[in-house]
Amino acid sequence: MQAQPVKNIIIVGGGTAGWMAAAVLSTSIAPHSVSVTVVESPEIGTVGVGEATIPPILQLNAKLGLDEDELVRKTKATYKLGIEFLNWGALGDRYFHPFGGHGANLAGVQFHHHWLRTREGALSDYSMPTVAAYAGKFSRPSDDPRNVLSKMSYALHLDATLYAGVLRELSVQHGVNHISAHIDGVNLDSETGFVDTLQLSDGRVLRADLYIDCSGFRGLLIEDALKTGYIDWSHWLPMNRAFAVPSAITGPAQPYTRSTAGRAGWQWRIPLQHRIGNGHVYCSDFMSDDEAEVDLLAGLDGPASATPRPLRFTTGRRRLSWNKNVVALGLASGFIEPLESTSIHLVQRGIATLMSLFPAQGIDQAEMDLYNRLMATEYEAVRDFVILHYKQTQREDTPFWRQVRNMDIPESLANRMAVFTNMGRLVLDPGELFKETSWVAVMLGQGLWPRGYDPQADLLPEDEVRASLQRMRTVIRNGADALPTHEDVLARIRTAAQK
Ligand code: FAD
């Protein structure tokens, strides 16, 4: 391995991943101990999508010292309380995957077992973010656990290009060197096989101790140069193309993402302050590009404000995220289609894991192995959760849905679905990204009804449980009624800046 300490880092790529990495490195490590450079090609644009996030991004923004109101203004962001799924379990179905839990546990038994026992009301009536989202309301959570607003949790919809700009500004302020140049060649050390130098098209040659490959799907260093290999998951997640297009705003911005399942894929709708981001993710084995584009445009709320942009991808992950002196982040390290808005989060996890194993004294095999194991686990957990949305469907109306409904799935997911089907139980690993609320929302939302529930729920008298559940629903409904509208919250943030 490379014994010399890491003093120079080059980040290849200036998309969301590259600037997230630069921002974290430059604010976490003293500039005199490590120099950080971002090289970004003026010839190759960024992917430019990636506008829906999940709640952990708020921790990243806070760690970077970004004021949230200012960020909302600068990135034209709106708030996101979860995702509404239309036509997934069956045509005409609708359910909500909220951030933040359902109801409250009673007598130490998880809430959903009491609900399965009584079937009092709809599950979504017990979710503060869902009730607020459908009422067009928003509030940040309360720190007081007795307040129903403590059950709120949220993320942001943001303009990806503007967000990368905010991170770039911060990084440059913290001493990151920014080079706009195309990398023509990557030279390897003939003895170690490590990346030695980068050849720029203007003739310059750059050298670093550690390279972070954020060059997008191609993986300029991790794949083109190091031939790391890719684990292809398209037999489980066959989506391989997308069209993205912005459209004009037609009404108040809803505080949630919408995902509508189609004939051979699904469409996203992400409201921002100045436009709506839309896209159609589909599988080219079952639908032509022309059909996909037509379906996308037909599903918009308002007129398209640009020509739809095509994108291609293969779902999977790089065999190693860290290989020799190259750590891949973002699209260069893998891609799971954006159904649960997890890509930016996986970048965040990659950076956090790298910081916790930062090779200050030189690159060490044990640390590298640990990094790769941890990142593989992160990717696989997200993969299983996304596959669940396709496998757990009653749809049989098109060849696509018949195929995904009947496909084999990873054993880890098959086992989790079987355990849930029996008694509604979910046994998760402590570090998993998606908690019980998420699994329960999608499993029940798509019609995976357990045969039973935890028998401990029967320890409480049924009428007492029903009364508690009714109270919970009332408290949530009243709590949502008292909240300001999402539009009012955004307007206040905008006008606060003008004072
Ligand atoms: P890119 O944006 O592709 O950036 C690559 C960078 O590398 C560019 O700056 C380019 O100039 C540079 N580069 C490439 N080659 C060279 C070279 N030879 N020399 C110099 N520089 C070079 N994520 C979410 O979290 N939420 C979502 O809702 C979401 N939706 C998505 C929808 C679709 C259809 C797709 C495809 C992705 C989506 N993502 C989403 C993923 C998200 O867009 C990416 O994870 C994120 O933008 C990070 O991209 P990146 O920085 O890795 O790559």
Side-chain angles (χ1 to χ4, degrees):
M1 286 292 105
Q2 181 175 281
Q4 85 251 25
V6 168
K7 295 281 181 198
N8 285 296
I9 299 176
I10 292 179
I11 298 169
V12 175
T16 311
W19 286 115
M20 280 172 78
V24 174
L25 282 166
S26 63
T27 52
S28 313
I29 304 180
H32 60 265
S33 56
V34 174
S35 94
V36 180
T37 301
V38 173
V39 186
E40 169 178 24
S41 168
E43 293 161 34
I44 302 178
T46 63
V47 72
V49 277
E51 313 211 302
T53 64
I54 54 175
I57 196 163
L58 304 180
Q59 290 153 25
L60 175 79
N61 293 336
K63 182 177 157 37
L64 294 175
L66 297 170
D67 176 79
E68 193 172 292
D69 284 359
E70 204 180 322
L71 186 69
V72 166
R73 280 190 292 271
K74 284 187 172 169
T75 61
K76 310 262 187 231
T78 64
Y79 290 99
K80 174 180 173 188
L81 293 168
I83 307 177
E84 179 187 49
F85 288 90
L86 300 178
N87 298 336
W88 279 86
L91 278 171
D93 262 13
R94 161 172 119 150
Y95 73 94
F96 200 86
H97 169 197
F99 301 140
H102 289 112
N105 298 346
L106 298 175
V109 177
Q110 284 174 327
F111 170 79
H112 73 271
H113 291 289
H114 299 291
W115 183 79
L116 285 170
R117 179 188 179 198
T118 57
R119 304 280 173 99
E120 262 297 318
L123 182 67
S124 55
D125 295 345
Y126 297 91
S127 157
M128 186 65 215
T130 309
V131 175
Y134 279 142
K137 303 289 187 83
F138 178 75
S139 157
R140 290 181 181 141
S142 161
D143 292 336
D144 177 357
R146 289 162 307 174
N147 187 327
V148 68
L149 291 182
S150 63
K151 297 281 183 184
M152 290 294 267
S153 178
Y154 69 97
L156 299 169
H157 300 125
L158 33 78
D159 182 314
T161 309
L162 297 176
Y163 186 55
V166 168
L167 298 175
R168 181 175 58 231
E169 197 179 302
L170 179 82
S171 305
V172 171
Q173 272 166 15
H174 281 82
V176 170
N177 311 303
H178 180 198
I179 297 178
S180 175
H182 189 78
I183 299 167
D184 262 351
V186 179
N187 304 311
L188 302 184
D189 182 290
S190 55
E191 271 175 35
T192 61
F194 277 40
V195 171
D196 184 22
T197 55
L198 304 180
Q199 180 72 49
L200 304 189
S201 56
D202 58 15
R204 280 181 287 175
V205 174
L206 303 177
R207 173 178 280 116
D209 306 310
L210 180 71
Y211 294 87
I212 303 189
D213 187 350
C214 299
S215 64
F217 285 124
R218 183 172 157 195
L220 188 68
L221 277 61
I222 197 82
E223 197 56 53
D224 283 2
L226 295 185
K227 314 275 181 252
T228 301
Y230 195 73
I231 301 174
D232 184 334
W233 287 331
S234 41
H235 48 295
W236 290 318
L237 291 169
M239 303 300 168
N240 55 4
R241 292 192 191 180
F243 275 105
V245 72
S247 66
I249 290 170
T250 52
Q254 287 155 326
Y256 55 90
T257 303
R258 179 182 294 153
S259 160
T260 308
R263 293 183 277 163
W266 60 278
Q267 297 197 22
W268 78 74
R269 180 189 181 283
I270 299 176
L272 297 176
Q273 291 179 42
H274 57 314
R275 60 172 165 79
I276 297 175
N278 308 277
H280 186 185
V281 177
Y282 61 100
C283 175
S284 63
D285 295 348
F286 294 91
M287 181 175 262
S288 71
D289 296 340
D290 288 348
E291 285 173 305
E293 193 174 351
V294 167
D295 279 9
L296 171 64
L297 295 173
L300 303 183
D301 289 3
S305 30
T307 308
R309 198 156 68 87
L311 295 141
R312 290 182 178 207
F313 55 85
T314 305
T315 293
R317 70 171 174 85
R318 209 62 72 192
R319 202 171 54 77
L320 301 171
S321 295
W322 183 347
N323 189 6
K324 301 187 189 288
N325 59 342
V326 175
V327 177
L329 292 174
L331 302 172
S333 82
F335 184 61
I336 297 173
E337 55 144 294
L339 187 58
E340 286 285 351
S341 327
T342 42
S343 288
I344 292 176
H345 176 75
L346 288 168
V347 177
Q348 187 179 339
R349 291 301 307 145
I351 299 168
T353 309
L354 178 61
M355 292 315 300
S356 66
L357 294 169
F358 189 75
Q361 299 304 322
I363 290 164
D364 173 76
Q365 187 67 46
E367 285 172 351
M368 196 191 289
D369 291 346
L370 179 57
Y371 181 91
N372 284 320
R373 221 169 34 246
L374 292 171
M375 289 313 295
T377 306
E378 298 260 3
Y379 268 90
E380 283 163 17
V382 170
R383 174 201 69 190
D384 280 9
F385 187 56
V386 174
I387 296 172
L388 171 69
H389 299 65
Y390 291 99
K391 178 69 181 173
Q392 182 50 47
T393 184
Q394 288 80 55
R395 284 189 65 165
E396 292 223 317
D397 52 297
T398 65
F400 168 79
W401 287 104
R402 286 196 288 278
Q403 174 174 308
V404 292
R405 185 190 165 152
N406 294 311
M407 71 183 163
D408 288 335
I409 53 174
E411 208 183 315
S412 44
L413 176 60
N415 182 267
R416 186 163 285 183
M417 289 172 76
V419 169
F420 188 79
T421 306
N422 200 24
M423 301 285 278
R425 290 194 179 103
L426 281 161
V427 182
L428 307 185
D429 295 330
E432 281 191 46
L433 171 62
F434 291 105
K435 309 291 182 214
E436 282 84 358
T437 305
S438 299
W439 286 91
V440 166
V442 178
M443 285 172 159
L444 294 179
Q446 295 200 194
L448 185 64
W449 290 98
R451 286 188 284 270
Y453 53 86
D454 186 339
Q456 293 182 81
D458 286 334
L459 288 171
L460 289 177
E462 190 174 330
D463 52 348
E464 246 181 58
V465 174
R466 285 189 187 280
S468 297
L469 265 57
Q470 276 164 17
R471 270 197 304 277
M472 286 180 205
R473 295 212 308 273
T474 307
V475 169
I476 288 173
R477 168 55 56 201
N478 292 344
D481 284 349
L483 294 181
T485 66
H486 181 225
E487 280 292 336
D488 281 348
V489 173
L490 294 174
R492 262 209 301 274
I493 291 174
R494 280 192 298 262
T495 44
Q498 289 152 14
K499 285 181 187 159

